[in-house]
């Protein structure tokens, strides 16, 4: 069930990207395989902390060039790690829980042309799937956003190296509020970020011209 949810989520985002009309008008397509190190942080829960070990990550990116420096991008990042639950007040520390963290994101990339070197910034939104490696725990899915920056170093017109640092922010729903006062009424949906995560990665880019 957990693996099926993850596969369906990945397939949904891939189909969404491929069916976009932006594919038809794309100038270039970029494929990027990468690996790096992920700072997995601590999830602040209601009655304790779930402390997650930092670990290697890996994944891929598929970018559609809307112009020479602007791209629409689908990315998948995975980190296989483990964590322990530490209660705030009473109880015992849990055994290690092994799981994978899976970020599936859609967003945009904006670069600056400095010749063979292209500094860039990126922002995206999507989901984070926590997938335990034992049936004793259920998988969990959060809405998440990421923001990052890095460099593309082009060795040729088709091959390059991409270096990137990213802030990764899974969101937790805290409720809905509504109230009225002397200045009128207002409401909102309240969320918080937990755990706050980050990663540093690098990999090879292959750029394909989509127009002859």
């Amino acid at each position: 069930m957990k693996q099926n949810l993850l596969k369906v989520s990945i397939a949904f985002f891939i189909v969404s990207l491929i069916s976009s009309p932006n594919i038809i008008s794309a100038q270039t397509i970029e494929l990027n395989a990468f690996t790096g190190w992920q700072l997995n942080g601590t999830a602040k829960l209601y009655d304790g902390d779930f402390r997650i070990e930092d670990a290697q990550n890996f994944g891929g990116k598929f970018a559609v060039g809307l112009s020479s420096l602007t791209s629409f991008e689908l990315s998948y990042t995975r980190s296989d790690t483990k964590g322990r639950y530490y209660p705030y007040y009473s109880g015992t520390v849990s055994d290690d829980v092994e799981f994978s963290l899976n970020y599936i994101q859609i967003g945009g990339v904006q670069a600056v042309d400095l010749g063979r070197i292209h500094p860039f910034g990126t922002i995206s939104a999507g989901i984070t799937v926590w997938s335990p490696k034992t049936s004793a725990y259920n998988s969990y899915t959060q809405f998440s956003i990421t923001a990052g920056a890095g460099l593309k170093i082009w060795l040729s017109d088709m091959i390059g190296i991409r270096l990137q640092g990213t802030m990764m922010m899974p969101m937790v729903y805290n409720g809905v509020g509504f109230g009225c006062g002397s200045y009128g009424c207002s409401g909102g949906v309240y969320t918080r970020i937990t755990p706050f995560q980050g990663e540093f990665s690098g990999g090879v880019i292959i750029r394909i011209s989509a127009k002859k």
Side-chain angles (χ1 to χ4, degrees):
M1 179 64 181
K2 294 174 292 189
Q3 295 299 323
N4 288 339
L5 174 62
L6 183 57
K7 291 176 181 178
V8 169
S9 299
I10 295 172
F12 173 77
F13 278 95
I14 292 174
V15 170
S16 297
L17 182 63
I18 293 175
S19 62
S20 169
N22 292 325
I23 290 286
I24 299 174
S25 60
Q27 295 191 1
T28 59
I29 292 174
E30 291 181 9
L31 304 175
N32 172 217
F34 64 88
T35 187
W37 192 253
Q38 191 160 307
L39 308 176
N40 285 316
T42 297
K44 300 291 185 179
L45 307 178
Y46 292 107
D47 50 2
D49 289 341
F50 186 63
R51 301 176 189 175
I52 309 167
E53 289 191 3
D54 301 339
Q56 182 182 8
N57 67 5
F58 62 93
K61 302 178 190 288
F62 178 82
V64 177
L66 306 181
S67 70
S68 60
L69 297 174
T70 303
S71 300
F72 179 66
E73 184 171 79
L74 167 71
S75 67
Y76 171 69
T77 305
R78 176 176 175 132
S79 179
D80 291 295
T81 183
K82 59 185 177 182
R84 282 189 175 188
Y85 174 74
Y86 292 80
Y88 290 141
Y89 307 110
S90 62
T92 59
V93 176
S94 74
D95 294 332
D96 287 339
V97 179
E98 295 186 352
F99 63 98
S100 65
L101 272 169
N102 304 271
Y103 278 81
I104 306 166
Q105 301 281 303
I106 289 178
V109 180
Q110 181 62 50
V112 177
D113 189 351
L114 299 179
R116 289 289 184 183
I117 299 177
H118 289 185
F120 67 88
T122 178
I123 189 168
S124 68
I127 59 173
T128 300
V129 180
W130 302 63
S131 183
K133 297 183 178 180
T134 171
S135 58
Y137 301 93
N138 295 322
S139 62
Y140 180 64
T141 301
Q142 293 173 266
F143 173 76
S144 57
I145 59 175
T146 72
L151 294 173
K152 296 179 183 180
I153 304 170
W154 292 104
L155 307 178
S156 70
D157 289 341
M158 293 183 60
I159 303 295
I161 297 171
R162 176 168 169 162
L163 306 174
Q164 182 171 332
T166 309
M167 295 184 295
M168 311 164 82
M169 296 164 279
M171 302 289 189
V172 174
Y173 170 74
N174 273 1
V176 177
F178 183 82
C180 296
S182 57
Y183 295 99
C185 297
S186 64
V189 177
Y190 301 98
T191 63
R192 60 190 174 96
I193 298 170
T194 190
F196 190 92
Q197 299 178 318
E199 66 92 26
F200 301 93
S201 59
V204 176
I205 320 171
I206 298 175
R207 179 166 58 185
I208 303 169
S209 176
K211 290 186 175 182
K212 300 296 184 180

